Amino acid sequence: VVLQSGVHLVSGASNHGYIAIPRRATAVLLVAGAALRGWVVDSPAEALLGAGISGIDVQGSTSSGGIRLRRPTWCALRRVHVNGTRDQGVLVEGGMASIFEDLLITNALLDRSRSRVQGAFDLSGTDHTVSRCEFTASVTVRTSPDKRVVAAAVRGTNHFVSDSVAETSDAGWWITADSSRFTGVRGDTNLGEGLVVGGSGNVFAACSSVGNSQYRSGAYDAWSVRGGGNSFAACNVVTSSSKLVRHGFRDTVNNGSAVARNSYVGCTVDRSVNTRWYTEGFLGSAPAVGGHAVRPRSGTSRIDVTDAGVVALFDYRRATVVRAFVGGAEGQTVRILGSAKVAIAPGPRIVTATGRRIRLKKGRTYTFTRYDGIWYQST
């Protein structure tokens, strides 16, 4: 089917449905012919204007792609399910200001041999809106070390993406777009990362990485952030299986300009094999850490200060020398509430104000700030 400008393919279906067998489809079903070597729904090479598809299901084949829209502008795909395609389920090549709502893509990119990263849903262009969608390439065995088969690839600039999930692929979201807005998206149960962010100037709000690194526990990070100038608010990492991620947020930006780094506010990580926050030293991004209080068990000499602002040592019942603060993040400051049973010893990662071991006193507060991996005591 070649979709022309101004043409709409519409059925009366108000929802998309899983295609178990054709008679159970909730909409009109387009099935790839055995001889098809291309796309079940395609568009002309010139810009596609004001076209749409609503309530149509697509059953692809091992020799076909699903839907390809070339330079779509003011177009809309709504209530569409694409299943079983050799290439992308939906490929959007450029264009602007089109809408993609209530899409379901399953078993896409069945030809796993890819020379570059491609998504079951693959978007480029500018000012597109994506909402209430579920994307998966249905990958159960890792296709390549560099994770070329992803659930959703978002490229271009100035997109609006919300309430959508990318799952069960080499990686969930592969984002090289700039200046876009992501709200309530989730990367779920992927072999590798839940979200890979290579673009800049994006905003992420209430986004989640859930149950990723399924290839092997500790092999991949929940979030891999490679681009700068992004903002993350109330984003999290959730472990929902026996597999753990390597790092919660792994931020590899290393730049002397503060505006080129990323900012994290109210973000949380429940568990990880290594550090929950990985950043690139004093030129890396620094997450804003909440002022939570922790009370280590008596005798603890390596204190976990993840997300901590206050460390209360009131429960120590025997003499203990604290030799390390672990799990912290760059720029984090902790205030130690003293106990006469506790001393803090300088070492490779702790610098005291005097350069010597300090014995804590009840009623006093001792402040340490992490800079380039080292905790410095305030004078």
Side-chain angles (χ1 to χ4, degrees), residues 42-350:
D42 206 350
S43 62
E46 64 269 17
L48 183 67
L49 303 176
I53 302 175
S54 178
I56 306 292
D57 289 343
V58 173
Q59 177 62 56
S61 71
T62 55
S63 60
S64 74
I67 299 172
R68 179 172 68 169
L69 303 180
R70 292 189 276 186
R71 297 171 61 194
T73 298
W74 310 314
C75 296
L77 261 61
R78 291 185 171 99
R79 299 183 296 279
V80 171
H81 176 197
V82 183
N83 180 64
T85 58
R86 175 189 184 277
D87 293 312
Q88 291 94 334
V90 173
L91 173 61
V92 182
E93 295 182 336
M96 64 172 288
S98 292
I99 295 174
F100 304 90
E101 291 180 334
D102 301 304
L103 306 185
L104 173 66
I105 298 176
T106 53
N107 300 302
L109 296 168
L110 293 177
D111 179 359
R112 307 299 195 197
S113 300
R114 299 283 150 181
S115 61
R116 62 187 182 89
V117 171
Q118 293 180 311
F121 176 75
D122 206 312
L123 178 76
S124 60
T126 184
D127 290 6
H128 295 311
T129 297
V130 180
S131 181
R132 301 187 303 273
C133 297
E134 183 173 354
F135 309 123
T136 174
S138 306
V139 175
T140 56
V141 178
R142 187 176 68 156
T143 60
S144 67
D146 49 0
K147 305 171 294 301
R148 291 176 177 148
V149 175
V150 303
V154 182
R155 319 172 197 273
T157 185
N158 284 314
H159 302 304
F160 302 88
V161 184
S162 66
D163 305 317
S164 297
V165 58
E167 59 189 1
T168 323
S169 303
D170 281 345
W173 295 91
W174 188 276
I175 299 165
T176 57
D178 300 321
S179 304
S180 298
R181 304 293 180 264
F182 296 84
T183 306
V185 306
R186 188 172 82 239
D188 199 331
T189 322
N190 294 283
L191 274 69
E193 295 94 337
L195 299 97
V196 179
V197 182
S200 300
N202 300 293
V203 174
F204 296 83
C207 299
S208 300
S209 175
V210 179
N212 293 291
S213 195
Q214 289 296 308
Y215 171 69
R216 187 177 64 245
S217 188
Y220 293 101
D221 309 303
W223 291 74
S224 177
V225 184
R226 305 167 184 177
N230 300 292
S231 299
F232 301 84
C235 295
N236 63 14
V237 176
V238 177
T239 302
S240 64
S241 70
S242 59
K243 303 293 179 64
L244 297 178
V245 295
R246 178 175 55 181
H247 301 283
F249 290 85
R250 187 172 191 267
D251 188 315
T252 54
V253 172
N254 192 326
N255 198 300
S257 171
V259 297
R261 305 175 203 169
N262 300 301
S263 64
Y264 300 84
V265 178
C267 299
T268 60
V269 180
D270 65 347
R271 287 188 292 166
S272 61
V273 170
N274 293 335
T275 58
R276 302 184 189 187
W277 296 94
Y278 173 95
T279 57
E280 289 287 336
F282 67 94
L283 291 182
S285 306
V289 177
H292 304 298
V294 296
R295 294 183 67 155
R297 181 181 301 177
S298 178
T300 303
S301 61
R302 292 172 54 86
I303 298 177
D304 187 348
V305 295
T306 300
D307 295 332
V310 175
V311 178
L313 305 180
F314 303 137
D315 297 329
Y316 280 55
R317 297 291 179 264
R318 58 188 177 87
T320 303
V321 178
V322 173
R323 301 188 181 277
F325 300 126
V326 298
E330 287 302 301
Q332 180 178 351
T333 296
V334 294
R335 298 184 303 279
I336 313 297
L337 297 180
S339 166
K341 298 285 187 180
V342 180
I344 298 179
R349 297 292 179 181
I350 294 179

